[in-house]
Amino acid sequence: MKEGNPSKRRASILKFFRELPSQDDDGQVLPISGLWNTAMAHPNDPEFIELGIFECMAALIWKGLKNRRWLSHDQNIYIPYYAAHIIGSYTMNMEEFAESAVHAGVIPPLVELLRGRLTWVEQRVAVRALGHLATYPSTFPTVASHAEILELSIQLAMSSLEIVYSHFYQYFDRRLSYHCDLLTRGMGGVEMESRKAEEWASQLQCWSLQLINCFAFKPEFLPAICKPEFLAKLPGMWGGLVNENSPAGIGLLRTICHHKLGRGPVASCPGLIEALCNIARSSDDWQYMAIDCLLWLLQDPSTCHKVIDKAVPTLIDLAEITNLGDHKKLGDSIVNVLQDCIQLQGTVRSSPSNRSKEQIEELLNSRQRLKWEKNMLKEDLHIKQAAALVVKLEGNSLFSAGNISGAASKYSEALALCPMRSKKERVVLYSNRAQCHLLMQQPLAAISDATRALCLHNPLNRHAKSLWRRAQAYDMLALAKESLLDAILFINECSQSNDPDLSLRQNKVPDYAERLVKKQMRAAWLFREAAIKHGGVHGEGNSGNIYGHETDDSEWETASESDIGNDGRDEMGDEDDDSEWKNEDERKDKYDKPPMKA
């Protein structure tokens, strides 16, 4: 590498790559780890590609698979991992590099690693490399020609968390030393190993899904992918907090729903539409993917009748969204699709229930009302605003007096009066009514109203009080992941808020929010199902530490599951700081601090 003469440098590196697989000298792992660093730092550099690095890495993987004596000597156990990782790094950006890798014969040894011929650590880098190779049109056919890759990837996506838990995480005194070294780079102890194992397990699952996704773009592979037992698990496959940038299961579902052949199995899979609705309401980066799935299912005459009654309530809650990422006028698209469903109701297969028809008609009427209001005089709009304000204050008084159902009725009446374009005021009304539903133990209604408030709010999905109320409602329904994400977003928002009821004193997380986050981190823990299956957790009533090896002062420490009751709710009253309805009497309203118990 340090040779100054370019021709001598190339000749010596070429010789090194050709001779390395046949050598049995000690210390081979050192130059290979150096190549790993180079591949990570300069994945687009063609020099080593031209000199035969892919042939060398493929030969080294084969050597590790066939010669266990060599593999166990010195530090050679690390070499197959590094070799597969180098292949993946050099093929993640450049299609011509991927073509060179395929011609060098890297796929067969990677498939053997994918089978689990060594350990889950090598499976992780093998599925990563194969996923990169499957991304490109020129190399996908060669990947697909190995028929077992798709089935192995599906099985790995479903079992990866259990594999990592049972083979590494569960018993810290049985962990392979080279696994620990690779996970922490020698920088941490048992706790660091456990944290990194969770991250790598998530990557193993998400990279398996990414590889499957490459196959899902081709209709001929959909029958193999769209098995009910696999589809049903996809919504629960998410990157977790350690791998939040991966679309994971919902990304694959979106690809499947894009094809007509995929929509039928999705619409028929028990529980899957409900899961898509929950994701569609969420405030994370993948919300639009679930919305796309629901809209495509409704637009398909062969699936519309199967999903319409489940999808309509969710989509109506989302109809006020304007732009979501690159999706412009998404709310208009939702309204248009629902309107088409009503117009096609003469077709028996597409006919919604009477309740769904009523909900869609109410939505269409509200859109018509918005058009009428554009032609109204400003004086008339101000009269409507004033009337809505009076009714809202009546609702606040009823709430403070303990008449929760009466307050909810008043907020509904105020919403009927409030101009459609007065979005800030409607956010407050929906959020207040969500609070009432919470106290009346009506979590579904609370989720609906909180979602509508979040969709109306500017910026989208950033209304702190509605996030907190929806987090509590999800908690009532034992939807831990959804509750966790909303609670975390609530903490982020109130830390930036100027509202004295929401701003954090000395940047400290509110106790009630911290308790809910800890509770849901326990319930949504990536290894939870595996831990229950293998005896690490004995169910909800288990007082032991779900994480097994964590110390008492760990940030993952769990809290009592009975302490999320009234905590925080009384602090989440009416929010008018950004409202056009500001007045001194309303600021002093007791609803800001209602003396109520849940």
Side-chain angles (χ1 to χ4, degrees):
M1 291 293 291
K2 295 179 180 179
E3 172 62 53
N5 186 311
S7 60
K8 287 184 178 180
R9 170 189 163 94
R10 288 178 60 86
S12 60
I13 293 175
L14 179 62
K15 181 182 178 183
F16 170 78
F17 285 150
R18 287 178 177 174
E19 295 179 353
L20 182 62
S22 61
Q23 295 175 351
D24 292 324
D25 300 337
D26 291 348
Q28 286 185 330
V29 73
L30 293 177
I32 295 175
S33 65
L35 290 171
W36 171 80
N37 278 312
T38 301
M40 292 283 285
H42 307 286
N44 300 336
D45 189 336
E47 181 182 21
F48 289 170
I49 311 301
E50 298 166 356
L51 298 176
I53 193 171
F54 288 135
E55 289 83 354
C56 179
M57 296 303 110
L60 287 170
I61 295 173
W62 278 125
K63 187 173 183 178
L65 290 168
K66 296 177 179 179
N67 189 341
R68 294 304 176 101
R69 182 177 179 181
W70 171 83
L71 189 66
S72 61
H73 178 70
D74 193 37
Q75 292 183 307
N76 294 338
I77 189 69
Y78 293 85
I79 290 178
Y81 170 87
Y82 280 130
H85 203 295
I86 288 167
I87 293 170
S89 295
Y90 276 122
T91 56
M92 64 182 174
N93 297 329
M94 309 292 286
E95 185 169 6
E96 55 267 37
F97 291 3
E99 292 171 356
S100 298
V102 169
H103 293 150
V106 303
I107 292 181
L110 290 174
V111 171
E112 293 305 307
L113 294 182
L114 186 66
R115 290 181 190 277
R117 287 277 302 276
L118 294 181
T119 71
W120 66 270
V121 166
E122 289 79 18
Q123 282 181 303
R124 171 180 168 270
V125 287
V127 78
R128 169 180 178 260
L130 289 168
H132 294 327
L133 293 172
T135 301
Y136 306 109
S138 61
T139 53
F140 174 78
T142 308
V143 175
S145 67
H146 295 261
E148 67 271 37
I149 288 179
L150 177 57
E151 183 58 35
L152 288 170
S153 301
I154 292 173
Q155 292 302 319
L156 193 56
M158 291 194 292
S159 62
S160 54
L161 303 184
E162 182 180 349
I163 289 172
V164 178
Y165 180 83
S166 60
H167 289 111
F168 183 86
Y169 192 99
Q170 186 174 16
Y171 302 110
F172 65 86
D173 55 340
R174 302 182 190 177
R175 296 175 178 177
L176 296 177
S177 60
Y178 90 96
H179 284 183
C180 298
D181 290 341
L182 288 172
L183 282 163
T184 66
R185 302 294 162 194
M187 299 295 289
V190 171
E191 189 172 329
M192 176 65 75
E193 293 165 7
S194 298
R195 301 280 176 80
K196 292 297 291 185
E198 187 172 349
E199 179 182 341
W200 279 30
S202 174
Q203 290 173 346
L204 177 58
Q205 184 176 72
C206 291
W207 289 343
S208 299
L209 293 170
Q210 178 182 327
L211 177 53
I212 300 166
N213 195 64
C214 295
F215 284 86
F217 280 105
K218 310 292 183 181
E220 60 268 28
F221 296 105
L222 287 175
I225 296 171
C226 294
K227 302 293 177 59
E229 62 272 18
F230 180 56
L231 291 178
K233 292 180 179 292
L234 284 178
M237 296 182 187
W238 63 303
L241 300 182
V242 295
N243 196 20
E244 60 180 326
N245 293 324
S246 173
I250 185 59
L252 177 55
L253 276 172
R254 183 176 184 270
T255 302
I256 291 171
C257 287
H258 194 263
H259 292 280
K260 186 175 183 64
L261 284 175
R263 290 193 286 269
V266 169
S268 302
C269 185
L272 186 51
I273 303 305
E274 291 87 343
L276 281 172
C277 290
N278 288 333
I279 299 173
R281 283 193 176 103
S282 69
S283 302
D284 66 13
D285 293 338
W286 316 120
Q287 179 182 13
Y288 77 91
M289 291 189 171
I291 296 174
D292 282 347
C293 291
L294 293 175
L295 293 180
W296 289 335
L297 289 165
L298 287 176
Q299 290 173 308
D300 188 333
S302 65
T303 57
C304 179
H305 66 288
K306 295 181 180 179
V307 305
I308 187 167
D309 290 329
K310 297 174 183 177
V312 162
T314 296
L315 291 174
I316 287 177
D317 290 344
L318 301 169
E320 294 293 345
I321 293 178
T322 50
N323 301 329
L324 182 60
D326 294 333
H327 287 56
K328 307 301 181 184
K329 298 183 178 180
L330 184 57
D332 291 342
S333 299
I334 291 173
V335 172
N336 291 336
V337 170
L338 293 177
Q339 187 172 18
D340 289 343
C341 291
I342 286 289
Q343 292 174 348
L344 294 173
Q345 62 180 300
T347 306
V348 175
R349 290 179 61 83
S350 300
S351 181
S353 67
N354 289 334
R355 176 58 183 153
S356 294
K357 292 177 188 176
E358 291 173 2
Q359 291 176 313
I360 296 174
E361 287 168 357
E362 287 175 9
L363 174 64
L364 298 177
N365 289 338
S366 69
R367 286 300 177 106
Q368 188 62 43
R369 177 180 155 191
L370 179 61
K371 293 179 181 178
W372 292 336
E373 289 177 357
K374 289 180 179 179
N375 298 321
M376 290 180 67
L377 296 175
K378 287 186 177 181
E379 292 79 3
D380 293 337
L381 285 174
H382 289 154
I383 292 172
K384 287 173 67 69
Q385 284 181 337
L389 172 58
V390 169
V391 175
K392 191 196 80 162
L393 292 176
E394 292 175 359
N396 291 355
S397 298
L398 288 172
F399 186 97
S400 296
N403 186 349
I404 307 302
S405 62
S409 297
K410 285 296 181 181
Y411 295 138
S412 298
E413 186 180 341
L415 279 165
L417 291 169
C418 183
M420 297 295 294
R421 68 184 186 184
S422 299
K423 292 187 177 182
K424 292 181 180 179
E425 292 75 19
R426 296 182 71 82
V427 167
V428 173
L429 290 167
Y430 276 124
S431 192
N432 285 0
R433 194 169 68 176
Q435 174 77 342
C436 294
H437 290 309
L438 273 176
L439 296 177
M440 292 188 292
Q441 301 294 305
Q442 298 171 347
L444 291 176
I447 290 169
S448 175
D449 278 346
T451 301
R452 294 187 184 202
L454 289 164
C455 291
L456 282 167
H457 190 259
N458 185 22
L460 178 70
N461 291 327
R462 296 275 297 277
H463 188 246
K465 293 181 180 180
S466 296
L467 285 167
W468 176 247
R469 288 162 183 168
R470 194 169 67 175
Q472 292 176 293
Y474 281 136
D475 181 42
M476 289 181 181
L477 296 174
L479 294 172
K481 181 182 75 173
E482 291 79 2
S483 178
L484 173 62
L485 294 176
D486 276 354
I488 291 173
L489 286 171
F490 161 71
I491 292 171
N492 291 341
E493 286 308 309
C494 63
S495 66
Q496 304 169 27
S497 174
N498 295 322
D499 185 341
D501 283 344
L502 292 179
S503 59
L504 307 181
R505 296 179 180 87
Q506 298 178 349
N507 294 321
K508 183 180 179 181
V509 176
D511 291 341
Y512 57 84
E514 183 179 6
R515 285 193 292 270
L516 183 60
V517 166
K518 286 182 177 179
K519 173 188 175 182
Q520 306 303 19
M521 287 181 75
R522 169 179 177 165
W525 185 41
L526 208 62
F527 288 138
R528 181 170 180 80
E529 288 187 15
I532 292 173
K533 182 176 180 179
H534 290 271
V537 179
H538 303 292
E540 293 296 330
N542 178 38
S543 60
N545 191 345
I546 185 173
Y547 302 106
H549 318 305
E550 304 290 345
T551 57
D552 290 340
D553 59 350
S554 167
E555 65 181 283
W556 302 91
E557 178 187 359
T558 58
S560 165
E561 296 200 13
S562 63
D563 56 17
I564 307 296
N566 193 45
D567 286 356
R569 295 184 188 181
D570 292 351
E571 299 184 27
M572 302 298 294
D574 198 6
E575 178 173 318
D576 285 315
D577 299 278
D578 58 352
S579 171
E580 298 170 16
W581 297 2
K582 293 177 182 176
N583 63 62
E584 191 62 22
D585 291 336
E586 188 176 4
R587 284 182 175 277
K588 295 178 180 178
D589 195 293
K590 291 182 181 179
Y591 181 58
D592 286 336
K593 297 281 186 179
M596 294 296 301
K597 289 187 177 181

PDB file of all heavy atoms in Angstrom, residues 482-493:
ATOM      1  N   GLU A 482     -46.603   1.691  19.273  1.00  0.00           N
ATOM      2  CA  GLU A 482     -47.242   2.949  18.904  1.00  0.00           C
ATOM      3  C   GLU A 482     -47.201   3.947  20.060  1.00  0.00           C
ATOM      4  O   GLU A 482     -46.930   5.139  19.875  1.00  0.00           O
ATOM      5  CB  GLU A 482     -48.684   2.694  18.458  1.00  0.00           C
ATOM      6  CG  GLU A 482     -48.830   1.956  17.130  1.00  0.00           C
ATOM      7  CD  GLU A 482     -48.613   0.451  17.238  1.00  0.00           C
ATOM      8  OE1 GLU A 482     -48.382  -0.039  18.363  1.00  0.00           O
ATOM      9  OE2 GLU A 482     -48.669  -0.242  16.209  1.00  0.00           O
ATOM     10  N   SER A 483     -47.475   3.450  21.268  1.00  0.00           N
ATOM     11  CA  SER A 483     -47.431   4.310  22.447  1.00  0.00           C
ATOM     12  C   SER A 483     -46.025   4.841  22.686  1.00  0.00           C
ATOM     13  O   SER A 483     -45.827   6.021  23.008  1.00  0.00           O
ATOM     14  CB  SER A 483     -47.921   3.535  23.674  1.00  0.00           C
ATOM     15  OG  SER A 483     -47.861   4.322  24.837  1.00  0.00           O
ATOM     16  N   LEU A 484     -45.038   3.989  22.516  1.00  0.00           N
ATOM     17  CA  LEU A 484     -43.638   4.383  22.730  1.00  0.00           C
ATOM     18  C   LEU A 484     -43.222   5.497  21.772  1.00  0.00           C
ATOM     19  O   LEU A 484     -42.630   6.503  22.181  1.00  0.00           O
ATOM     20  CB  LEU A 484     -42.739   3.157  22.549  1.00  0.00           C
ATOM     21  CG  LEU A 484     -41.230   3.405  22.575  1.00  0.00           C
ATOM     22  CD1 LEU A 484     -40.793   3.959  23.918  1.00  0.00           C
ATOM     23  CD2 LEU A 484     -40.465   2.122  22.247  1.00  0.00           C
ATOM     24  N   LEU A 485     -43.544   5.332  20.494  1.00  0.00           N
ATOM     25  CA  LEU A 485     -43.137   6.335  19.506  1.00  0.00           C
ATOM     26  C   LEU A 485     -43.788   7.685  19.786  1.00  0.00           C
ATOM     27  O   LEU A 485     -43.137   8.739  19.695  1.00  0.00           O
ATOM     28  CB  LEU A 485     -43.478   5.850  18.094  1.00  0.00           C
ATOM     29  CG  LEU A 485     -42.713   4.616  17.611  1.00  0.00           C
ATOM     30  CD1 LEU A 485     -43.215   4.182  16.235  1.00  0.00           C
ATOM     31  CD2 LEU A 485     -41.216   4.880  17.570  1.00  0.00           C
ATOM     32  N   ASP A 486     -45.071   7.676  20.139  1.00  0.00           N
ATOM     33  CA  ASP A 486     -45.747   8.940  20.442  1.00  0.00           C
ATOM     34  C   ASP A 486     -45.190   9.574  21.711  1.00  0.00           C
ATOM     35  O   ASP A 486     -45.046  10.799  21.793  1.00  0.00           O
ATOM     36  CB  ASP A 486     -47.261   8.711  20.591  1.00  0.00           C
ATOM     37  CG  ASP A 486     -47.977   8.713  19.254  1.00  0.00           C
ATOM     38  OD1 ASP A 486     -47.335   9.002  18.233  1.00  0.00           O
ATOM     39  OD2 ASP A 486     -49.184   8.431  19.226  1.00  0.00           O
ATOM     40  N   ALA A 487     -44.882   8.757  22.720  1.00  0.00           N
ATOM     41  CA  ALA A 487     -44.334   9.301  23.961  1.00  0.00           C
ATOM     42  C   ALA A 487     -42.961   9.936  23.733  1.00  0.00           C
ATOM     43  O   ALA A 487     -42.647  10.998  24.288  1.00  0.00           O
ATOM     44  CB  ALA A 487     -44.239   8.198  25.019  1.00  0.00           C
ATOM     45  N   ILE A 488     -42.152   9.304  22.898  1.00  0.00           N
ATOM     46  CA  ILE A 488     -40.834   9.867  22.591  1.00  0.00           C
ATOM     47  C   ILE A 488     -40.980  11.175  21.818  1.00  0.00           C
ATOM     48  O   ILE A 488     -40.284  12.165  22.093  1.00  0.00           O
ATOM     49  CB  ILE A 488     -39.993   8.847  21.802  1.00  0.00           C
ATOM     50  CG1 ILE A 488     -39.606   7.672  22.699  1.00  0.00           C
ATOM     51  CG2 ILE A 488     -38.730   9.504  21.237  1.00  0.00           C
ATOM     52  CD1 ILE A 488     -38.919   6.545  21.973  1.00  0.00           C
ATOM     53  N   LEU A 489     -41.893  11.211  20.855  1.00  0.00           N
ATOM     54  CA  LEU A 489     -42.126  12.446  20.101  1.00  0.00           C
ATOM     55  C   LEU A 489     -42.670  13.541  21.007  1.00  0.00           C
ATOM     56  O   LEU A 489     -42.335  14.720  20.843  1.00  0.00           O
ATOM     57  CB  LEU A 489     -43.099  12.173  18.950  1.00  0.00           C
ATOM     58  CG  LEU A 489     -42.516  11.392  17.769  1.00  0.00           C
ATOM     59  CD1 LEU A 489     -43.626  10.995  16.798  1.00  0.00           C
ATOM     60  CD2 LEU A 489     -41.456  12.201  17.040  1.00  0.00           C
ATOM     61  N   PHE A 490     -43.509  13.157  21.960  1.00  0.00           N
ATOM     62  CA  PHE A 490     -44.021  14.135  22.924  1.00  0.00           C
ATOM     63  C   PHE A 490     -42.879  14.774  23.706  1.00  0.00           C
ATOM     64  O   PHE A 490     -42.816  15.994  23.880  1.00  0.00           O
ATOM     65  CB  PHE A 490     -45.002  13.458  23.883  1.00  0.00           C
ATOM     66  CG  PHE A 490     -45.236  14.224  25.151  1.00  0.00           C
ATOM     67  CD1 PHE A 490     -45.961  15.406  25.149  1.00  0.00           C
ATOM     68  CD2 PHE A 490     -44.705  13.778  26.358  1.00  0.00           C
ATOM     69  CE1 PHE A 490     -46.170  16.123  26.325  1.00  0.00           C
ATOM     70  CE2 PHE A 490     -44.904  14.482  27.537  1.00  0.00           C
ATOM     71  CZ  PHE A 490     -45.637  15.659  27.512  1.00  0.00           C
ATOM     72  N   ILE A 491     -41.955  13.957  24.168  1.00  0.00           N
ATOM     73  CA  ILE A 491     -40.815  14.477  24.919  1.00  0.00           C
ATOM     74  C   ILE A 491     -39.988  15.422  24.045  1.00  0.00           C
ATOM     75  O   ILE A 491     -39.565  16.496  24.481  1.00  0.00           O
ATOM     76  CB  ILE A 491     -39.955  13.318  25.451  1.00  0.00           C
ATOM     77  CG1 ILE A 491     -40.723  12.550  26.531  1.00  0.00           C
ATOM     78  CG2 ILE A 491     -38.629  13.818  26.001  1.00  0.00           C
ATOM     79  CD1 ILE A 491     -40.040  11.261  26.968  1.00  0.00           C
ATOM     80  N   ASN A 492     -39.789  15.025  22.789  1.00  0.00           N
ATOM     81  CA  ASN A 492     -39.029  15.897  21.877  1.00  0.00           C
ATOM     82  C   ASN A 492     -39.717  17.233  21.677  1.00  0.00           C
ATOM     83  O   ASN A 492     -39.070  18.290  21.636  1.00  0.00           O
ATOM     84  CB  ASN A 492     -38.845  15.200  20.523  1.00  0.00           C
ATOM     85  CG  ASN A 492     -37.912  14.019  20.598  1.00  0.00           C
ATOM     86  OD1 ASN A 492     -37.134  13.886  21.530  1.00  0.00           O
ATOM     87  ND2 ASN A 492     -37.996  13.133  19.616  1.00  0.00           N
ATOM     88  N   GLU A 493     -41.038  17.186  21.547  1.00  0.00           N
ATOM     89  CA  GLU A 493     -41.775  18.420  21.273  1.00  0.00           C
ATOM     90  C   GLU A 493     -41.844  19.325  22.490  1.00  0.00           C
ATOM     91  O   GLU A 493     -41.634  20.532  22.380  1.00  0.00           O
ATOM     92  CB  GLU A 493     -43.205  18.085  20.804  1.00  0.00           C
ATOM     93  CG  GLU A 493     -43.263  17.556  19.391  1.00  0.00           C
ATOM     94  CD  GLU A 493     -42.541  18.442  18.411  1.00  0.00           C
ATOM     95  OE1 GLU A 493     -42.811  19.667  18.393  1.00  0.00           O
ATOM     96  OE2 GLU A 493     -41.690  17.937  17.674  1.00  0.00           O
TER      97      GLU A 493
END
